[in-house]
Amino acid sequence: MISSDRRKFIHRAFGGLAGVAAWPLISPRPLRAVSSLDDVLGQLEPQNTGDEAFWVMVKSQFPIRSDLVLMNAANLCPAPYVVLDAVARYTRDIDADASFQNRAKFDRLREEARTGLARYLGVEPQEIAITRNTSEGNNTVVNGIDLRPGDEVVLWDQNHPTTNIAWDVRAQRAGFTVRRVSTPHTVTSKNDLIVPFRKALTSRTRVLAFSHVSNVSGVALPVDELCALARERRALTLVDGAQAFGALRLDLANLGCDFYTASTHKWFVGPKEAGVLYVRKERVGELWASDVGVGWERALQRGAEKFENLGQRNDATVAAVSAATAMHVSIGPERIEARVHQLATAIKEQLSRHIPNVVFYTPHARELTAGVVVFRPPRGDPRELFDVLYHEHGIAGAPMSGEFEGVRLSPHIYNTLEEVDRVVHVLRGML
């Protein structure tokens, strides 16, 4: 059964899953099967990952075209009706009355969103800033740490390009050294990933910055062990969680990182243009804020809130984050993680079985990966394959180029095992 605390949070966020209807502006049809989903969730034990009928019901909460198989969570996820409804409802409220008096309630709604995110991530509300996306959070850290010539920043070469470029640009200005770490293309154990970082860290290393899950290979790094290595050398850790937040169960306090960044528009299936920046409370005072504006003095007294002093925000977007958090809490982070692994594993196993000579950049072992699956087809141009999959078969993934040239499929909770079968069947016919 869902705990009383969890149920209270869900109802505070958006009045419970039951009874939430989509606005006509968002969808011509009402939100379907929500009350049934709420009822089913109330009967599932925590260890029950749900049968396929349950996940079909979850899929019905998203406004995805019926003829489309969407496996692009690593780039952009659709939001469920409950989130779309919240954004539309709050937007209409603001546009109906943009007075200071009416908008005052968004201060409370923002703090509710912060508290929900903190609980979901296992940290304190004063350690959470609500940003606009992962890039903004990363750049806040990149530009906020005091660094000088002689210092060293160590990066994973599989980080998102935005992160690594941001460090390069800052190094040009401040004169510190940036070093990149490569990990093997074929990974069989966590040790394969840890050893290169252990060798790269030195007494000069001030920051270790890496992605929790690579968007280019699908490899998941052992965050807790890498953070422990950095602490031994008194280095700070910045973890880009864009491919983990909403896909994996996270307890940031136990992971041991100093900073963690993510967006709500990917695996978290939240509103667009919102993100989260976690700053360990001991580090709040050490990190300079990139943006300073009205309310700065008050923000300084409220922990990580000083990193979201961004001027006028879309209050509707920030408030709607609570609806996404509530959906994750309602379904259960453990259950979502298990489903993401189930779908990704099914893709890897079926492609391996049915398509000879397919090459995976993504490991098969669960502890070394999450929901991102990257593979190189045995023949053909991956970008052409990507286009044909979408235009002729209604399958949306992503093309990968460079060192990890291939195709990326990123299934999520709105996908079904039947859709996995369909994707593999189409690929078999093409390859």
Side-chain angles (χ1 to χ4, degrees):
M1 301 290 288
I2 298 177
S3 70
S4 59
D5 285 345
R6 177 181 287 186
R7 194 171 289 279
K8 287 177 184 176
F9 172 72
I10 295 166
H11 282 265
R12 273 202 309 273
F14 52 79
L17 284 170
V20 179
W23 285 73
L25 177 66
I26 298 299
S27 173
R29 58 180 177 169
L31 180 62
R32 298 181 302 171
V34 172
S35 58
S36 298
L37 178 61
D38 201 31
D39 292 341
V40 171
L41 284 167
Q43 301 303 315
L44 286 180
E45 295 296 329
Q47 67 275 14
N48 188 331
T49 58
D51 59 15
E52 196 60 16
F54 167 76
W55 291 108
V56 169
M57 190 178 296
V58 170
K59 177 180 173 62
S60 74
Q61 311 309 310
F62 293 82
I64 303 170
R65 280 175 22 207
S66 60
D67 62 339
L68 176 67
V69 176
L70 184 64
M71 291 190 177
N72 196 28
N75 177 251
L76 181 66
C77 283
Y81 288 117
V82 286
V83 173
L84 298 176
D85 173 68
V87 172
R89 176 161 42 90
Y90 290 132
T91 299
R92 289 179 174 181
D93 181 274
I94 294 168
D95 289 336
D97 182 358
S99 66
F100 285 110
Q101 291 88 340
N102 182 51
R103 288 184 289 137
K105 62 176 170 286
F106 286 99
D107 289 340
R108 171 182 56 81
L109 293 170
R110 183 181 62 251
E111 295 314 307
E112 289 180 1
R114 188 192 319 281
T115 299
L117 286 169
R119 184 181 296 116
Y120 174 78
L121 293 169
V123 298
E124 300 177 17
Q126 294 75 21
E127 297 176 301
I128 293 294
I130 300 176
T131 60
R132 287 174 288 209
N133 50 47
T134 310
S135 296
E136 182 171 73
N138 285 335
N139 275 275
T140 297
V141 178
V142 169
N143 291 292
I145 298 175
D146 281 327
L147 295 168
R148 54 184 57 87
D151 292 336
E152 184 178 79
V153 173
V154 174
L155 310 176
W156 189 23
D157 64 358
Q158 291 186 38
N159 287 343
H160 191 279
T162 300
T163 303
N164 285 355
I165 292 171
W167 281 112
D168 288 338
V169 171
R170 173 78 199 284
Q172 291 173 11
R173 187 171 80 246
F176 58 82
T177 301
V178 173
R179 298 180 59 202
R180 283 168 167 74
V181 174
S182 296
T183 52
H185 276 200
T186 301
V187 179
T188 59
S189 70
K190 289 196 296 183
N191 203 47
D192 291 338
L193 300 170
I194 295 170
V195 169
F197 285 97
R198 182 184 291 121
K199 291 179 178 178
L201 296 175
T202 72
S203 59
R204 295 172 51 204
T205 305
R206 290 287 314 285
V207 181
L208 171 61
F210 59 90
S211 294
H212 191 155
V213 179
S214 169
N215 68 301
V216 296
S217 71
V219 170
L221 291 179
V223 176
D224 53 348
E225 295 179 57
L226 292 182
C227 289
L229 277 178
R231 279 197 306 276
E232 291 173 5
R233 291 157 177 79
R234 298 185 179 180
L236 301 174
T237 46
L238 166 61
V239 183
D240 181 326
Q243 305 302 336
F245 176 63
L248 303 179
R249 183 181 63 84
L250 297 173
D251 185 336
L252 300 188
N254 284 335
L255 284 181
C257 57
D258 294 293
F259 314 104
Y260 196 96
T261 60
S263 298
T264 63
H265 66 262
K266 296 184 187 290
W267 303 86
F268 197 63
V269 296
K272 280 67 176 176
E273 203 168 333
V276 59
L277 166 63
Y278 160 72
V279 180
R280 184 178 292 277
K281 57 186 175 183
E282 294 86 357
R283 304 303 181 195
V284 171
E286 301 175 15
L287 188 68
W288 292 91
S290 297
D291 296 271
V292 177
V294 174
W296 173 247
E297 292 78 10
R298 174 178 175 273
L300 283 176
Q301 302 169 8
R302 298 172 63 86
E305 187 175 327
K306 80 176 189 180
F307 305 111
E308 60 180 64
N309 195 229
L310 305 173
Q312 182 63 52
R313 301 286 301 273
N314 183 351
D315 291 326
T317 295
V318 175
V321 169
S322 289
T325 307
M327 184 168 188
H328 280 267
V329 171
S330 178
I331 297 175
E334 298 87 351
R335 189 174 289 126
I336 290 173
E337 177 178 320
R339 178 61 172 182
V340 168
H341 277 294
Q342 180 187 24
L343 293 167
T345 298
I347 290 173
K348 287 180 280 192
E349 289 182 347
Q350 288 198 43
L351 288 178
S352 297
R353 185 163 57 249
H354 296 298
I355 301 179
N357 301 319
V358 65
V359 175
F360 287 95
Y361 298 113
T362 308
H364 284 250
R366 175 169 176 161
E367 67 271 17
L368 301 175
T369 187
V372 178
V373 179
V374 183
F375 65 93
R376 188 179 71 228
R379 61 181 179 275
D381 180 358
R383 178 163 286 279
E384 182 179 342
L385 178 63
F386 154 77
D387 283 331
V388 172
L389 282 172
Y390 178 77
H391 291 294
E392 297 185 15
H393 302 282
I395 298 169
M400 307 304 292
S401 58
E403 188 178 359
F404 298 93
E405 184 180 41
V407 175
R408 184 179 69 192
L409 298 175
S410 308
H412 202 14
I413 57 174
Y414 43 74
N415 292 118
T416 65
L417 290 174
E418 182 181 7
E419 289 178 333
V420 171
D421 293 342
R422 174 180 162 186
V423 170
V424 174
H425 175 76
V426 169
L427 287 171
R428 288 179 68 185
M430 295 174 66
L431 302 173

